[in-house]
Amino acid sequence: MNNQEYMNTLIDFIKNTEYVNLSKDVQKQAKKCFFDLSGVICCGAKNNSAKKAAKYVTKNYPTGRYSILATGDKTNLIGAALANGMAANALDMDDGYSLLRGHPGAGFFGALLSAAEGSECTYGEFRIR
């Protein structure tokens, strides 16, 4: 399988998997990761590197309806995803995956929060999607 095939398989899994069909163990771990990232992104938003990213976004991205955490500023979806993603990784305390040697959650959690804000979904809808 080549890289594109792996990516397509992953995308298909994400698009076609329903939270309620996951095992109880996977649901429990997903909740742990969600709360872990939520706490880390809130604390990280106050970090100097996250503040610099937020300031950069505020100066260089257009105003929009998406929140930059801990600033009160609004920008477009891409700017909010960037700034909030930086906040998620600012303290380097977000979830890790040893086989990947990285933090897969930080890269998308800020974007996910911004997209959820734009769709005006509830917490329950956000958590189970």
Side-chain angles (χ1 to χ4, degrees):
M1 201 182 274
N2 64 36
N3 287 343
Q4 187 62 48
E5 291 170 326
Y6 282 119
M7 184 61 70
N8 290 340
T9 301
L10 176 61
I11 290 168
D12 287 343
F13 176 79
I14 292 168
K15 286 174 28 180
N16 298 316
T17 301
E18 295 289 332
Y19 179 82
V20 296
N21 294 331
L22 298 172
S23 72
K24 295 296 179 196
D25 287 339
V26 171
Q27 289 180 15
K28 183 177 178 180
Q29 187 63 29
K31 288 177 186 176
K32 283 183 184 179
C33 289
F34 174 82
F35 287 116
D36 174 67
L37 273 169
S38 296
V40 168
I41 198 170
C42 288
C43 293
K46 298 289 189 175
N47 180 277
N48 284 339
S49 62
K51 287 179 181 180
K52 287 179 183 180
K55 187 175 181 179
Y56 173 83
V57 167
T58 301
K59 286 184 176 183
N60 294 287
Y61 286 75
T63 301
R65 62 183 183 128
Y66 300 92
S67 299
I68 300 174
L69 296 175
T71 67
D73 295 330
K74 300 275 190 175
T75 188
N76 68 358
L77 179 59
I78 294 170
L82 173 61
N84 295 338
M86 295 297 289
N89 197 37
L91 299 176
D92 200 24
M93 294 175 61
D94 50 304
D95 65 330
Y97 181 60
S98 59
L99 295 177
L100 183 62
R101 303 212 193 293
H103 301 270
F108 72 86
F109 196 69
L112 191 62
L113 283 176
S114 299
E117 179 183 19
S119 71
E120 299 177 0
C121 71
T122 66
Y123 162 74
E125 291 169 332
F126 177 78
R127 188 178 56 82
I128 64 171
R129 287 188 181 182

